[in-house]
Structure formats: structure tokens, C-alpha cells
Amino acid sequence: MQQNLKAATFEVMETMFFLFPETVEEVADFFRGPGIRAWVPVNGPQLFRVGLTVPLKMAEEMTANLLGEDLDSIDADKVTDAFKEAANMLAGAFLTREMAPGSVHLLPPEAEFLNLEEQQFRANTTHLLFAVDNYGLEVFVEKLQGGQNNRMAK
Amino acid sequence: MAYNVLIVDDSATMRALIRKVLKISGFNIGEFYEGANGKEALRVLENNWVDIILSDVHMPEMDGAALLQALRSHNLWRTIPVVMVSTEGRREVMGVFEQLGIQGYIKKPFKPEEIRAKLTTILGETGGADATELEGCDF
């Protein structure tokens, strides 16, 4: 699962945003100030979510690059929409690589703004941490309560 | 010949991105039309001729499958080529759309050249109706 999540991350970041994440040992300094988290709930035999978290400044730059617009024209709505779409692509790429059955459905993406310094960022089997230039990128798969039944999705 | 394109996606970012990619691709585009879901797409079609539709799969109110079914059951719109542009890459899911008669599929994330290549292939094969040739038609 970890390899598929990593590969999906590279696929989305490189293809859509022309960014090349690097795995680093210590990332605390890369998650500072305001940030944005976007995720896609995935419903199937299990309910889980696939998403990403980045500093807001990085999100704004990524949105500007994606749309080919000046940074000045990027507002919260554009950042939110772009990051929901990034989460959508990440989840889709991940599920494709996991060869999830058709009974596993992507639900509409969600996003929230947050203070990164109030969050804990630790790499483990379900949370991957990367550095992109001087910013942090967290990518995660988290199990949620619920789902169609109790069987494992994969 | 310029082609009119309808982009259907609930993400304004993705609509803008596809539009940008098509503009810089060198593909001869006439008019761009947009819809945030299938219902909006059908409203666009009531008043405008389009040569190709690029549609997302997962959308609120009316999703890509429902849009495709509506198009295929309509006398005039049934022949409009439809390309699904979606994060869905699973064969099992996309097989449903192939049965509904899509002309192609582009998986997000995509490279700009993939969209141009797909449109060139499809409009080249189908010819794509020219909006000017349809002037005076009763819709």
C-alpha cells in the first residue's frame, strides 16, 4: 500500500504540478503557519480517506502554476478547488494502483484550512512525508468509521 | 475547421485547466462551453452545437453516466463524441462507460499532449460537425 501511495503521489505532483517531492528524515521545519488539507472519502468494504496536507503558501503557488495565473489572483476558493481536485487525482491514482474493485467508490472531496503548528506530522505506514522545495507535503490514507461492511477492501 | 468544445466538470479549476491545455495545444478550437454537471451540460446543448464533449465521471446532481445516457437517447446529441476525463482508471468502472459508447478516456492526472492526441484521433475519425454547416437547423 505504501509503495502505491508513494507512486500515486509522484504521479499527481509531477504530471499536474511539475513538482518533484523528496523523502526527507526531518520535516518539522517544512510545516509552518497556515495550511490546507484536502481529502477524498472512499467508501467500500471499508470507509477510509486519501488526502494531502501542505502549507498554504505552497498551495497558492501550486494553484497559480496549475491555472497559469498570477499569484495575486489566487484566492481561497481557487486554492480549495485546486486542492480538492489534487486529492481526487491522488485517490484515483491510488485506487487504480491498488486495483480496488468497482464496489469501492470515491466520494466528493473535502478540504479544510488549518494551522500546521497545531498538527503532528509523523511518517508511518499510512502517512508519508515529503519535502517539496522548502515546503512540507503530507500524504495519507486513514481509516474512518463505517463502510459498506466489515470486510477489508484490499 | 474550428471545433466547439463542451467541458463538463464540477471543479472550476479542472475546467480552466482543460481549457488552457486545449488553447496551448494548437488544436483549432471555436467556442468553449462549460458545465459544472450533466444538467448544466444539457442546458448548454439546448442552445449551442458542440463537436465534442469532455466530461468528468463523478459530479453532483447529474453524473457522467447519467449525462451519457441522456445524450445517447437524444436524436441530435447521440452522435456527439464524448471523452471521459476522470480520476477513475479502474477497468471495471470505465467498462460501463465504454458500453454506453464513449469515444475515449483520459485519466487524470494527464499530460497536455494526451488531450490533444485524443481529440485529434476522435475528431479526425468522426469528422466532427462544423457549427457553420448546421446554421438554420431546427434544434
Side-chain angles (χ1 to χ4, degrees):
Chain A
M1 188 191 82
Q2 209 173 9
Q3 281 307 313
N4 286 336
L5 185 60
K6 193 172 180 179
T9 303
F10 289 159
E11 183 184 344
V12 172
M13 298 303 282
E14 291 176 12
T15 309
M16 297 307 287
F17 297 101
F18 307 107
L19 293 173
F20 301 89
E22 294 174 61
T23 307
V24 288
E25 293 294 320
E26 185 53 60
V27 293
D29 288 344
F30 296 104
F31 291 100
R32 295 275 182 217
I36 182 169
R37 174 171 289 153
W39 66 92
V40 174
V42 182
N43 198 12
Q46 285 191 333
L47 183 64
F48 60 98
R49 66 176 186 168
V50 181
L52 70 167
T53 313
V54 299
L56 191 54
K57 272 185 74 89
M58 175 179 169
E60 289 167 346
E61 288 177 19
M62 287 169 67
T63 304
N65 289 340
L66 187 69
L67 294 173
E69 294 183 9
D70 291 336
L71 205 50
D72 294 345
S73 72
I74 301 303
D75 57 23
D77 285 345
K78 286 180 180 175
V79 170
T80 303
D81 192 51
F83 263 74
K84 282 182 176 178
E85 196 55 40
N88 214 10
M89 288 187 276
L90 178 70
F94 175 66
L95 288 188
T96 302
R97 288 171 185 278
E98 285 280 299
M99 292 186 284
S103 58
V104 177
H105 299 288
L106 299 176
L107 300 177
E110 299 173 38
E112 65 179 359
F113 290 97
L114 67 173
N115 182 349
L116 296 178
E117 282 155 59
E118 291 173 357
Q119 309 292 313
Q120 288 192 328
F121 294 96
R122 290 208 183 99
N124 54 42
T125 53
T126 56
H127 292 72
L128 307 181
L129 300 179
F130 303 95
V132 183
D133 297 329
N134 290 320
Y135 299 116
L137 164 66
E138 177 200 43
V139 177
F140 59 86
V141 176
E142 286 175 350
K143 193 177 172 192
L144 303 171
Q145 292 297 315
Q148 288 167 2
N149 57 49
N150 293 325
R151 286 186 295 111
M152 291 290 287
K154 175 93 180 118
Chain B
M1 179 175 138
Y3 295 105
N4 293 345
V5 179
L6 170 58
I7 303 165
V8 191
D9 199 306
D10 56 328
S11 164
T13 301
M14 194 48 64
R15 295 198 304 272
L17 178 64
I18 293 172
R19 200 176 174 129
K20 186 182 90 174
V21 164
L22 288 174
K23 271 184 185 170
I24 62 173
S25 72
F27 203 85
N28 195 4
I29 302 295
E31 296 289 335
F32 279 111
Y33 300 103
E34 293 185 13
N37 55 54
K39 278 186 183 173
E40 289 190 13
L42 295 177
R43 278 201 288 272
V44 168
L45 291 171
E46 284 168 9
N47 298 306
N48 305 281
W49 177 258
V50 304
D51 296 290
I52 191 161
I53 298 171
L54 303 178
S55 176
D56 191 10
V57 171
H58 303 293
M59 293 178 288
E61 291 195 55
M62 186 178 195
D63 64 15
L67 170 62
L68 206 49
Q69 282 167 337
L71 292 171
R72 295 305 178 236
S73 60
H74 191 280
N75 277 344
L76 275 171
W77 303 337
R78 64 191 310 155
T79 57
I80 300 174
V82 178
V83 175
M84 304 310 293
V85 184
S86 174
T87 54
E88 272 294 355
R90 291 174 291 167
R91 186 79 206 153
E92 192 178 343
V93 177
M94 294 318 295
V96 174
F97 288 93
E98 284 170 1
Q99 285 173 0
L100 286 169
I102 59 170
Q103 273 65 37
Y105 170 68
I106 296 168
K107 187 179 176 305
K108 300 181 213 170
F110 53 77
K111 293 187 173 123
E113 53 268 34
E114 288 175 52
I115 289 195
R116 184 190 156 81
K118 188 68 75 181
L119 262 62
T120 303
T121 303
I122 293 167
L123 292 174
E125 285 171 357
T126 63
D130 187 333
T132 56
E133 291 168 4
L134 291 163
E135 278 175 6
C137 283
D138 285 326
F139 287 97

